[in-house]
Amino acid sequence: MSLSIDSEHQRLLAGYHPLCDAISALFYPYVEVVIHDLLTQKVSYLANNISRREIGDDSALENIEFTESENVIGPYEKLNWDGRKMRAISSVIRSPLTGQPEALLCINFNTYDFEQIRGALNIFLSGGQLIPQPEKLFRDDWQERINTFMHSWLQKQGLSLSTLSRAEKRLLVEALYAEGAFNGKSAANYVANIVGVSRASVFKYIKELKS
């Protein structure tokens, strides 16, 4: 009887090996997937080993008890052998016959490289060295004024420039005209390009508004 149970247990865990391989391959090289056998208290399987453990190592999970509804634990943070942070989540593998926990499938995500990128981006985009727009440079910058008004108008309307319908594009041109956006030289060409209509359409709208 014990041999039958052991055989079923091994087949149960082996059925998760392709899943471990698939997850680790999709997120390679940043994700490791480990199966801890709760019956033997050993590491049963490793995919993309980044924690430098070995199959057969102690799992040290003897005193953990799982409630009947506890199937996913995490995400939570842990430290890898090199002191780098990992984000982890664990899923309880239960017996299909008894519902009792038999293993723990752990996904360990090495976030170190992403934290370094975030730190660099925070420094680069912090704006610590920025000064207010120099008035003498932007006093006559009609493109800047068009951009500022246009995106303010889009935000108020709850619209996106890339998804405007033809009717909404016309409304935007009319709003720009009312704001005096076409006083600048070549403004009509600029508006046509960024709004995504022909220059002839812009001139037509302006002519109709003037009349």
Side-chain angles (χ1 to χ4, degrees), residues 43-194:
V43 173
S44 171
Y45 192 74
L46 273 167
N48 186 34
N49 188 349
I50 60 177
S51 60
R52 294 198 175 179
R53 286 176 291 189
E54 294 182 2
I55 292 176
D57 283 353
D58 291 335
S59 294
L61 299 172
E62 298 95 334
N63 298 321
I64 297 180
E65 296 183 1
F66 304 96
T67 64
E68 291 184 3
S69 60
E70 195 173 23
N71 293 311
V72 177
I73 305 168
Y76 51 88
E77 279 193 345
K78 57 188 293 187
L79 285 181
N80 202 4
W81 63 271
D82 54 7
R84 296 179 176 182
K85 288 182 180 179
M86 293 198 294
R87 187 169 296 177
I89 192 166
S90 299
S91 177
V92 180
I93 299 175
R94 297 179 180 272
S95 165
L97 298 176
T98 65
Q100 293 300 307
E102 293 198 9
L104 203 61
L105 189 154
C106 299
I107 302 172
N108 301 318
F109 173 33
N110 182 1
T111 60
Y112 177 79
D113 288 346
F114 299 94
E115 290 172 353
Q116 298 303 301
I117 293 171
R118 180 176 63 180
L121 287 173
N122 286 340
I123 294 173
F124 186 71
L125 299 175
S126 65
Q129 302 297 319
L130 293 179
I131 64 172
Q133 286 186 348
E135 184 180 350
K136 61 184 177 182
L137 296 182
F138 287 90
R139 184 185 301 118
D140 299 319
D141 192 336
W142 53 267
Q143 290 182 342
E144 174 76 8
R145 291 200 300 273
I146 288 175
N147 294 343
T148 300
F149 174 82
M150 179 180 64
H151 288 286
S152 175
W153 183 88
L154 289 169
Q155 187 175 20
K156 289 177 182 177
Q157 304 298 321
L159 298 172
S160 171
L161 185 60
S162 61
T163 59
L164 290 179
S165 66
R166 185 170 184 83
E168 289 166 343
K169 290 177 179 179
R170 175 164 186 155
L171 288 175
L172 176 54
V173 172
E174 291 175 353
L176 286 165
Y177 176 81
E179 187 68 14
F182 295 101
N183 295 333
K185 185 179 180 181
S186 302
N189 291 343
Y190 181 71
V191 169
N193 286 331
I194 61 176

